[in-house]
Amino acid sequence: MLFNTSYKNTEYITESANLVGPAFSLVEKLKIGGIGSSRLVIDELSTKLQPKNMQPIDINYANIELRPKGVIIHFTNKLDRYSWIVPYFRLVTYSNDVFSIHANGNFIKFKKNKNYKNNKKFIAKMTDLKIRHLDLGYYDV
C-alpha cells in the first residue's frame, strides 16, 4: 500500500502497524545493528507507485525501513514523501543489472551504483529477517 506521508497520516500509522508491525524498540534496533538503509537511487517505479505529479527529470532517492513483519520503503518526489508498505510474505527481491523490490504486481528498481554497494550488508540483513520471520524450513539459517 502506498501512502503520502508528507504530513501526519493516521491511516498510514494504523495500517503500517497492522501489516508490518510496530517499529522496533531501541534495544531491538541496537541488537539488529540498525533498521534503516542509507539512500538508494531510484531507477524506475511501477505505474501504480508513481505519484500524479512525478518528475522524471529529477533524481529520486529512497530508503528502506525494517519492521518485525515487513519493510517500509520511503521515497520522495519534489517536496512530498511517500511510503510503500510491504509485508515479508509479499516481498520479492531481484538483483540483475538493477536491484528491484516487487510486491503485489508493483516494483521499485534501484540503480546499482556506490549507494547500492554501501547497502549490501543491509539488504542481506533484510533477507535474513524475512527468512527468519517466514520460518522457511528449507533454507539453511
Side-chain angles (χ1 to χ4, degrees):
M1 302 188 88
L2 184 68
F3 293 95
N4 184 340
T5 54
S6 302
Y7 304 102
K8 186 174 180 179
N9 188 337
T10 55
E11 183 182 354
Y12 161 75
I13 293 169
T14 56
E15 199 65 33
S16 65
N18 289 339
L19 287 175
V20 294
F24 285 108
S25 69
L26 179 62
V27 175
E28 291 172 322
K29 290 178 188 178
L30 293 173
K31 283 182 185 177
I32 294 172
I35 61 158
S37 70
S38 59
R39 66 184 191 173
L40 295 158
V41 178
I42 296 176
D43 189 38
E44 184 182 354
L45 286 168
S46 65
T47 55
K48 289 183 181 178
L49 292 180
Q50 288 180 359
K52 295 174 186 172
N53 60 350
M54 186 72 174
Q55 293 293 325
I57 303 166
D58 295 339
I59 296 175
N60 292 317
Y61 295 101
N63 65 339
I64 303 169
E65 174 189 351
L66 297 176
R67 291 285 182 102
K69 297 188 275 182
V71 297
I72 301 175
I73 302 162
H74 304 283
F75 62 94
T76 58
N77 179 38
K78 291 187 177 180
L79 297 175
D80 293 330
R81 179 180 165 111
Y82 297 92
S83 299
W84 183 32
I85 302 171
V86 181
Y88 281 135
F89 67 90
R90 298 205 185 267
L91 178 70
V92 178
T93 59
Y94 294 104
S95 182
N96 290 323
D97 296 336
V98 293
F99 172 71
S100 61
I101 295 178
H102 297 256
N104 290 342
N106 300 317
F107 64 86
I108 295 181
K109 293 182 181 180
F110 301 104
K111 291 184 179 180
K112 279 193 163 178
N113 55 9
K114 73 175 189 173
N115 293 347
Y116 169 77
K117 291 176 184 171
N118 293 338
N119 282 306
K120 278 189 168 185
K121 286 183 182 177
F122 177 82
I123 293 167
K125 184 190 316 181
M126 178 179 70
T127 306
D128 187 45
L129 283 171
K130 174 187 173 181
I131 292 170
R132 279 194 222 158
H133 174 73
L134 296 178
D135 194 24
L136 301 174
Y138 52 86
Y139 282 110
D140 294 330
V141 179

